[in-house]
Amino acid sequence: MWQQQLQQIQQGDIKTLARCISLVENEVAGYEQLLQLLPAAATPVIGITGPPGAGKSTLVDALIAHITSQGKKAGVLCIDPSSPFNSGALLGDRIRMSEWYNNPNVFIRSLATRGSLGGLHPKIIEITDLLKAACFDYLLVETVGVGQSEIEIAGLADTTVVVLVPESGDEVQTMKAGLMEIADIFVVNKADRPDADIFAKNLRHMLAPAFNSKQVPVPVIKIVALQKKGIDELFKAILQNISHQKTNDKKYWLLTEKAYYLIQQKKMAGISKAVLKNKIELAGVGFNLYRFIQQF
């Protein structure tokens, strides 16, 4: 069954892909067998991150237009805040990208964070690997704009684009330890606004090797995403960064964390909290907790 599902995904069957993402997302029985069948794939993953209101969705829309204009296919994962009522994605309608929903060269999926603090979905690695098995030329992952905790994207993406706006001056100061460290490319969106040039200049100074640990300055590219201005230059910088990509140590750490979590889940699978509670009740209040856990 799972082999057949994978073959359909590899043949470009979008309905099967969407269905399998839901199966993985909801941990339907046997979904791990599908993941174990996935081949290694080198589809470039472009991460789009930054503070709320910077125009990440508008930029993703412009990048989709650029990719499809070259006859290429794009897979897009948009991570949204979770609804407090049903854990679904709050912004699942994706109004800014509505023109692409019927385009055969574009696949867009909204995912909820489901409480994950890293600005991503708890199953984002698995879902990204599923999309890599499909016939996309590029994968775009847009995160929730949550600030400093948004470090996971640096491990997941081959290139991380951090989107800012000219009014982000104070935010840049607070982001130095977080987003400033993970950016491969900085984008100053809404560059037609006043002070955009000054902001971009100050950002370049801040990122210069003299003040930063990176040997090569991180590119700072001005765009107006709504008018699709500067997107060609940005995409060239993305491709250049991917082509010069060295071993991503952050990716290894992300995969290590994921492997640790999955092994932990497997090891704990046979332990029930209800059974633990009953045994603790039987042991009484004056027992030694540390000797008690040795039996497990």
Side-chain angles (χ1 to χ4, degrees):
M1 169 197 170
W2 294 113
Q3 185 69 56
Q4 185 183 356
Q5 302 272 5
L6 177 59
Q7 285 174 355
Q8 289 173 350
I9 289 171
Q10 290 174 320
Q11 289 163 7
D13 188 329
I14 295 303
K15 287 183 179 177
T16 302
L17 175 61
R19 187 164 55 247
C20 286
I21 289 174
S22 295
L23 296 177
V24 169
E25 200 175 7
N26 298 306
E27 297 184 346
V28 171
Y31 82 95
E32 289 146 318
Q33 294 174 36
L34 171 62
L35 297 176
Q36 289 164 15
L37 290 170
L38 293 177
T43 310
V45 179
I46 303 163
I48 309 293
T49 188
K56 295 186 293 293
S57 294
T58 309
L59 173 56
V60 171
D61 176 71
L63 285 171
I64 294 170
H66 187 83
I67 290 167
T68 53
S69 71
Q70 298 178 342
K72 305 287 187 181
K73 292 188 175 184
V76 185
L77 294 174
C78 303
I79 320 297
D80 290 323
S82 296
S83 164
F85 304 109
N86 59 16
S87 294
L90 273 179
L91 306 176
D93 54 347
R94 284 286 152 194
I95 293 167
R96 291 180 186 86
M97 301 178 206
S98 57
E99 69 173 288
W100 303 111
Y101 279 109
N102 294 321
N103 190 309
N105 291 327
V106 181
F107 174 83
I108 299 175
R109 178 70 174 241
S110 284
L111 302 169
T113 56
R114 298 194 177 191
S116 175
L117 294 177
L120 294 172
H121 183 280
K123 287 276 189 292
I124 189 67
I125 296 175
E126 291 93 327
I127 294 170
T128 304
D129 285 340
L130 259 183
L131 261 67
K132 283 183 177 180
C135 52
F136 298 113
D137 297 293
Y138 299 98
L139 298 182
L140 302 171
V141 180
E142 179 200 337
T143 75
V144 175
V146 294
Q148 293 203 20
S149 63
E150 213 164 346
I151 307 305
E152 285 180 13
I153 189 65
L156 181 75
D158 297 298
T159 292
T160 303
V161 179
V162 173
V163 189
L164 301 170
V165 286
E167 296 80 21
S168 299
D170 292 336
E171 289 173 356
V172 168
Q173 294 302 317
T174 61
M175 289 189 307
K176 275 185 183 176
L179 290 181
M180 298 294 283
E181 287 301 313
I182 67 167
D184 293 307
I185 298 168
F186 271 103
V187 162
V188 178
N189 189 21
K190 306 176 186 177
D192 52 346
R193 290 186 178 181
D195 299 332
D197 290 339
I198 295 171
F199 176 72
K201 183 181 177 183
N202 290 339
L203 194 56
R204 287 189 183 100
H205 282 308
M206 195 183 300
L207 296 166
F211 304 103
N212 197 280
S213 59
K214 295 188 178 180
Q215 295 301 310
V216 180
V218 178
V220 176
I221 297 171
K222 292 185 292 180
I223 68 164
V224 183
L226 198 59
Q227 299 170 19
K228 297 183 171 54
K229 288 183 179 176
I231 301 302
D232 188 47
E233 183 190 352
L234 170 60
F235 200 72
K236 283 177 183 173
I238 290 171
L239 293 181
Q240 188 173 17
N241 183 266
I242 291 170
S243 66
H244 293 131
Q245 193 66 257
K246 294 178 181 176
T247 305
N248 185 350
D249 193 50
K250 297 187 185 79
K251 189 182 288 287
Y252 291 140
W253 275 115
L254 180 71
L255 292 174
T256 302
E257 286 290 326
K258 187 69 179 181
Y260 187 89
Y261 171 74
L262 292 173
I263 293 166
Q264 190 179 45
Q265 269 192 322
K266 288 284 185 191
K267 295 283 188 184
M268 294 290 288
I271 298 175
S272 160
K273 282 190 179 179
V275 172
L276 270 181
K277 180 175 174 289
N278 289 338
K279 289 194 174 189
I280 288 170
E281 283 176 352
L282 288 171
V285 177
F287 80 113
N288 185 300
L289 174 66
Y290 309 101
R291 283 202 299 271
F292 170 79
I293 63 170
Q294 289 302 311
Q295 64 187 289
F296 299 98

